């Protein structure tokens, strides 16, 4: 029996479960989160009754070979909940980057009156101008605290845009990992034509 | 005895350990990661011998009250390693956002010849132009795959800037959570003067 931490592709802990040799084989065979339920003394293919199933990406064993990590994408009809209390994690609602992603997903469905995020969803020009403006402000930072604040701003506006496209944090992580596996990066000088295009937009 | 997952402020799983009532009290008393070592049958204040200690931010208990989550900042002299194999996690080197952060930290210390990241560290104007340009490109995306790629670009250049300021992903998460606790957000129209400043820079 292996203690198993279930994580997202960003390695965020969703909860702890148990695995047996049989449940690991079953998980690999159907590419889903399958575990061993100690209370039922049986294999447990997560989501079969709740609808909150998981696509399995990889299984890793830890440094002393007694704890597994399942990397999954948590699925669900209305909410993405690993926990039986309908939260993403067994330790409650997510905070940080994932908390922001969840808040934006909610605002997409049903925003309160006067929601600034909703205004951004409905006004692509405002969203574009704010994102470019915050990128600029981050670039000018010279202190750590100010840098953290401006990074949070850039992330907020970038994730509002991502939400409109259905892009998740996990999609971005996958993209970064693809590049990390390449030996060489495309070397980017800043592009004259892109700068002119930005000029034109920012001048409006 | 509680199975305990140790995570960063972004909820990334560093590894699994065990806690006793006594180790939890000790952890809270000294604001450090303190656990129960089953092999030594004794309290274990992580880092006392390795130097890889942890600042403790919070302890949460899971939905069925049998697994703890310790949220910590992992510290270390040279590397930030939770694992005795000198990796951040017990399942190997981090990928995704944290993998990028580690790569950038390495490039700050010692970059290979021809490193594009090093060039960005040394050329704040190029870095600024690229970040503004990628923010622009993200804004224009209409497909999910392209959006994920442009988000990865924005994140890469923003994190290069963050690295130069010593800003970590955890700092950004803390900033986002501060804002989430506020009832109202500052409503940002795009600022005329900032747009003009961006113009001036992009025209050069």
């Amino acid at each position: 029996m292996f203690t198993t931490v279930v994580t997202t592709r960003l390695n965020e802990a969703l909860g702890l479960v148990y695995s047996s040799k049989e449940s690991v084989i079953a998980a690999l065979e159907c590419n889903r989160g399958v575990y061993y339920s100690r209370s039922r003394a049986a294999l447990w293919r997560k989501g079969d009754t709740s609808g909150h199933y998981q696509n399995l990406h990889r299984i890793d064993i830890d440094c002393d070979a007694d704890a597994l990590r399942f990397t999954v994408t948590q699925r669900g009809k209305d909410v993405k909940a690993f926990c039986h209390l309908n939260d993403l994690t067994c330790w409650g609602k997510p905070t940080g980057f994932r908390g922001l992603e969840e808040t934006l997903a909610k605002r997409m469905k049903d925003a309160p009156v006067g929601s600034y995020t909703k205004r951004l969803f409905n006004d692509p020009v405002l969203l574009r101008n704010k994102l470019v403006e915050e990128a600029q402000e981050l670039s000018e930072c010279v202190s750590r605290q100010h840098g953290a604040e401006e990074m949070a701003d850039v992330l907020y506006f970038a994730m509002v845009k991502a939400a409109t496209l259905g892009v998740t944090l996990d999609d971005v992580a996958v993209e970064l990992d693809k590049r990390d596996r390449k030996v060489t990066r495309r070397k980017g000088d800043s592009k004259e034509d892109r700068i002119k295009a930005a000029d034109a937009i920012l001048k409006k």
Side-chain angles (χ1 to χ4, degrees), chain A:
Chain A
M1 195 77 69
F2 295 95
T3 309
T4 300
V5 59
V6 185
T7 72
T8 65
R9 282 180 126 152
L10 273 82
N11 193 25
E12 298 153 285
L14 299 177
L16 288 176
V17 291
Y18 292 87
S19 298
S20 62
K21 280 184 190 169
E22 291 72 24
S23 72
V24 169
I25 292 166
L28 291 169
E29 275 179 350
C30 63
N31 260 319
R32 288 259 305 265
V34 182
Y35 309 105
Y36 181 80
S37 165
R38 291 188 304 173
S39 56
R40 299 179 217 166
L43 295 195
W44 161 43
R45 187 164 66 180
K46 186 162 169 55
D48 278 358
T49 54
S50 67
H52 292 150
Y53 71 98
Q54 303 169 334
N55 296 122
L56 174 63
H57 302 299
R58 56 184 292 162
I59 302 176
D60 296 277
I61 194 154
D62 78 343
C63 54
D64 54 3
D66 66 0
L68 297 180
R69 179 180 65 179
F70 270 55
T71 304
V72 305
T73 298
Q74 181 66 52
R75 306 287 182 185
K77 290 163 215 162
D78 42 355
V79 288
K80 287 178 188 168
F82 174 83
C83 180
H84 72 292
L85 298 177
N86 254 18
D87 287 325
L88 181 66
T89 89
C90 287
W91 298 275
K93 294 192 187 309
T95 56
F97 294 17
R98 190 66 72 179
L100 174 58
E101 182 173 77
E102 279 208 354
T103 301
L104 295 177
K106 269 184 222 150
R107 295 287 179 275
M108 285 285 281
K109 282 187 201 167
D110 182 24
V113 173
S115 160
Y116 178 57
T117 302
K118 188 179 180 184
R119 195 177 146 207
L120 292 171
F121 285 145
N122 293 333
D123 188 344
V125 175
L126 175 64
L127 177 54
R128 182 177 55 186
N129 287 352
K130 286 301 295 179
L131 180 54
V132 170
E133 184 181 304
E134 297 299 343
Q136 184 55 40
E137 291 185 358
L138 172 58
S139 299
E140 290 172 6
C141 283
V142 291
S143 81
R144 184 172 162 202
Q145 178 53 32
H146 189 204
E149 289 164 12
E150 295 297 339
M151 272 288 283
D153 284 337
V154 167
L155 204 76
Y156 167 72
F157 290 103
M159 284 185 63
V160 170
K161 174 67 189 183
T164 67
L165 298 171
V167 173
T168 65
L169 289 169
D170 300 50
D171 295 331
V172 183
V174 168
E175 198 53 45
L176 288 172
D177 290 339
K178 269 192 219 163
R179 295 169 190 199
D180 193 48
R181 282 195 294 271
K182 287 186 191 166
V183 178
T184 54
R185 284 185 60 89
R186 182 171 60 88
K187 308 285 188 213
D189 289 303
S190 68
K191 298 169 203 154
E192 202 59 40
D193 63 318
R194 298 297 318 168
I195 292 173
K196 279 183 191 154
D199 274 358
I201 286 151
L202 290 170
K203 268 181 208 158
K204 275 179 195 168

